[in-house]
Amino acid sequence: MIERYSRPEMSNIWTLQNRYQAWLDVEVAVCRAWSEMGRIPAEAVENISAKASIDVDRILEIEEVTRHDVIAFLTSLEEKVGPDARYIHLGCTSSDIVDTANALLLVQAGELILKDIRALLQSIETLARRHKGQLCMGRTHGIHAEPTSFGLKMAGFYAEFSRHLERVQAGLESVRVGKISGAVGTYAFLSPELEQRALIHLGLGVDPHSTQIIQRDRYAHFFTSLAILGGGIERLCVELRHLQRTEVLEVEEGFAKGQKGSSAMPHKKNPISAENMTGLSRLLRSNALASLENQALWHERDISHSSVERVIMPDSTILADYILTRLTRLLDGLVVKPERMLENMDRSFGLYFSQRVLTALIATGMPRQQAYEAVQRLAMQSWETRVAFPELVRADADMRTRLGEAALDELFDPSYYLQHEDEIFARVFNSKPVLS
């Protein structure tokens, strides 16, 4: 991933240094398991642990000749360790090391992403609670529908990102397994006991049947969870972009001192963060498609998946980390404009009360279609004449007769639409995920 979208903690996971270190951790764990089973002298394992280290430049130099990265890695270790290096990689095939190390790297990356989601959830909850009860217009098809609150908007996103957290957790557990089962997975030169011992040292579970590789439905599970997370991020960012349009302007992204919005128009304050994350979320979804394509490999394995994973493992995790932290920063600095929300509610002349009037007429015994037509007639008149809908209802003799003055006063109270807000908040936040 390009440096622009890379945060150091995540991008460091995917350096060659850390990747080869994960390979070495697996090799040492296998040696320890062999030693526990009496095959390798304990002194040899300690010698390997003490002397084996990663020299990226040397590994790459050897790979220029071998054209095989694992063999280059092993050759480099042999140069450092000496005769005891004969015990390294004993009975293993390359995928034993690479796939198990991939699990270690994906767990490191996945745990950081989970931390990011938890931080985002805290920011969303803060916004939701701060703006609970703040009336704003709810829209369907982009058109005024009925009032909601900005707190409820944010509570809805909290509920969604709680599900994203659960999905990413499940995806991470899917890849938290290793394999030390040898060529085609038969343990011909190894054993299930050795595998279990080695993976315990690494903190990984055992893949029950891995063939020569860990099957890529596990990877697809993880990367599709990131793709669905990206869809949720884009949904929130699209909402924020719409709310920042000049005609709406109910929220604004923070605008730092000295920041510029346009090279040509000095007045511009654009929703650049939300737009950036909208675009980057598309990459998360695109990479997930590649992970799905990687599931179907020839027989016990081929390496058509390998080149793909060299790209999508770092890129998707680095992007997810970047987007989540940027979104949290956006929300923490979001400028919410309650007065504008109330102004916008008035722009549709109180038409949002139409369903209240409709249900009130039905309650008097008027047939539904007749009531609908009566309310729609006044609603269209309000829209065309720009006269407030409540005024037209009050001025209509049939409406006054059927509903009565007292009922009319009650019908046009916008707080009616938030009567269940407390219950919704209780459902969302009383069942919230553990954030620590």
Side-chain angles (χ1 to χ4, degrees), residues 167-236:
R167 276 187 287 262
V168 175
Q169 284 175 323
L172 183 56
E173 291 311 306
S174 186
V175 297
R176 201 190 291 267
V177 297
K179 59 89 59 183
I180 311 292
S181 57
V184 305
T186 60
Y187 302 96
F189 298 94
L190 301 158
S191 73
E193 179 187 355
L194 174 91
E195 178 182 59
Q196 185 165 13
R197 287 177 178 272
L199 294 180
I200 286 173
H201 285 300
L202 296 168
L204 298 175
V206 174
D207 191 331
H209 186 27
S210 53
T211 70
Q212 189 163 315
I213 61 165
I214 289 171
Q215 299 310 310
R216 263 37 188 185
D217 62 290
R218 294 182 178 276
Y219 285 49
H221 185 182
F222 178 70
F223 288 107
T224 52
S225 75
L226 296 186
I228 297 170
L229 170 66
I233 291 169
E234 183 169 358
R235 188 176 85 87
L236 176 50

Side-chain angles (χ1 to χ4, degrees), residues 368-410:
R368 177 180 176 83
Q369 291 308 312
Q370 182 182 341
Y372 190 101
E373 290 168 6
V375 174
Q376 186 181 47
R377 173 176 56 82
L378 293 179
M380 294 303 102
Q381 182 181 344
S382 172
W383 189 247
E384 291 165 5
T385 63
R386 303 175 71 85
V387 174
F389 175 71
E391 288 184 31
L392 294 178
V393 174
R394 293 178 187 278
D396 186 278
D398 290 341
M399 293 285 185
R400 283 201 314 276
T401 300
R402 274 196 168 270
L403 300 174
E405 294 292 342
L408 286 172
D409 290 338
E410 183 182 344

Side-chain angles (χ1 to χ4, degrees), residues 72-92:
F73 162 77
L74 293 170
T75 303
S76 172
L77 294 183
E78 187 173 351
E79 292 175 348
K80 293 176 179 294
V81 172
D84 283 338
R86 67 186 185 276
Y87 298 121
I88 299 173
H89 208 69
L90 185 63
C92 294

Side-chain angles (χ1 to χ4, degrees), residues 233 277 280-281 284 319-328:
I233 291 169
M277 290 181 280
L280 295 180
S281 294
L284 289 179
L319 276 176
D321 173 57
Y322 173 83
I323 299 169
L324 287 165
T325 53
R326 184 164 186 177
L327 181 53
T328 299

Side-chain angles (χ1 to χ4, degrees), residues 13-68:
I13 292 172
W14 299 108
T15 60
L16 283 176
Q17 177 72 35
N18 196 54
R19 183 176 184 234
Y20 291 141
Q21 183 61 53
W23 290 8
L24 178 56
D25 291 343
V26 176
E27 294 283 10
V28 171
V30 173
C31 288
R32 292 196 183 282
W34 275 127
S35 178
E36 290 166 0
M37 297 173 67
R39 178 71 182 274
I40 294 178
E43 300 79 16
V45 178
E46 296 312 312
N47 185 45
I48 290 167
S49 298
K51 293 183 179 179
S53 62
I54 302 304
D55 184 339
V56 173
D57 291 338
R58 179 57 180 150
I59 294 171
L60 295 178
E61 181 183 3
I62 297 169
E63 189 181 351
E64 285 293 317
V65 177
T66 64
R67 295 288 192 259
H68 194 294

Side-chain angles (χ1 to χ4, degrees), residues 86-282:
R86 67 186 185 276
Y87 298 121
I88 299 173
H89 208 69
L90 185 63
C92 294
T93 188
S94 296
S95 294
D96 291 323
I97 308 309
V98 173
D99 276 16
T100 304
N102 281 349
L104 296 176
L105 298 173
L106 286 171
V107 167
Q108 290 176 39
E111 294 289 359
L112 184 53
I113 290 169
L114 292 176
K115 178 182 174 183
D116 294 338
I117 298 173
R118 293 184 181 105
L120 177 61
L121 281 166
Q122 290 179 326
S123 295
I124 296 173
E125 180 177 1
T126 297
L127 273 175
R129 293 193 181 278
R130 183 181 299 156
H131 298 286
K132 183 173 179 284
Q134 175 54 58
L135 280 162
C136 65
M137 183 50 66
R139 299 170 176 89
T140 59
H141 308 276
I143 307 299
H144 282 203
E146 290 184 351
T148 182
S149 75
F150 193 71
L152 282 173
K153 276 183 182 282
M154 291 298 105
F157 284 108
Y158 185 98
E160 177 178 345
F161 278 89
S162 296
R163 296 190 296 273
H164 292 311
L165 178 64
E166 293 170 357
R167 276 187 287 262
V168 175
Q169 284 175 323
L172 183 56
E173 291 311 306
S174 186
V175 297
R176 201 190 291 267
V177 297
K179 59 89 59 183
I180 311 292
S181 57
V184 305
T186 60
Y187 302 96
F189 298 94
L190 301 158
S191 73
E193 179 187 355
L194 174 91
E195 178 182 59
Q196 185 165 13
R197 287 177 178 272
L199 294 180
I200 286 173
H201 285 300
L202 296 168
L204 298 175
V206 174
D207 191 331
H209 186 27
S210 53
T211 70
Q212 189 163 315
I213 61 165
I214 289 171
Q215 299 310 310
R216 263 37 188 185
D217 62 290
R218 294 182 178 276
Y219 285 49
H221 185 182
F222 178 70
F223 288 107
T224 52
S225 75
L226 296 186
I228 297 170
L229 170 66
I233 291 169
E234 183 169 358
R235 188 176 85 87
L236 176 50
C237 287
V238 167
E239 176 71 17
L240 296 174
R241 288 167 60 194
H242 279 307
L243 293 179
Q244 290 180 81
R245 287 181 297 127
T246 304
E247 295 84 355
V248 181
L249 203 60
E250 295 182 3
V251 302
E252 281 186 314
E253 294 183 12
F255 200 76
K257 184 178 180 180
Q259 185 174 338
K260 304 295 188 290
S262 167
S263 63
M265 297 169 285
H267 71 279
K268 294 281 278 179
K269 292 170 69 175
N270 300 323
I272 57 170
S273 290
E275 289 175 333
N276 170 270
M277 290 181 280
T278 296
L280 295 180
S281 294
R282 296 168 186 166

Side-chain angles (χ1 to χ4, degrees), residues 330-346:
L330 186 162
L331 294 179
D332 288 345
L334 191 69
V335 179
V336 180
K337 298 177 173 291
E339 71 289 345
R340 183 69 172 187
M341 293 175 180
L342 297 179
E343 288 176 18
N344 285 338
M345 287 177 63
D346 290 337

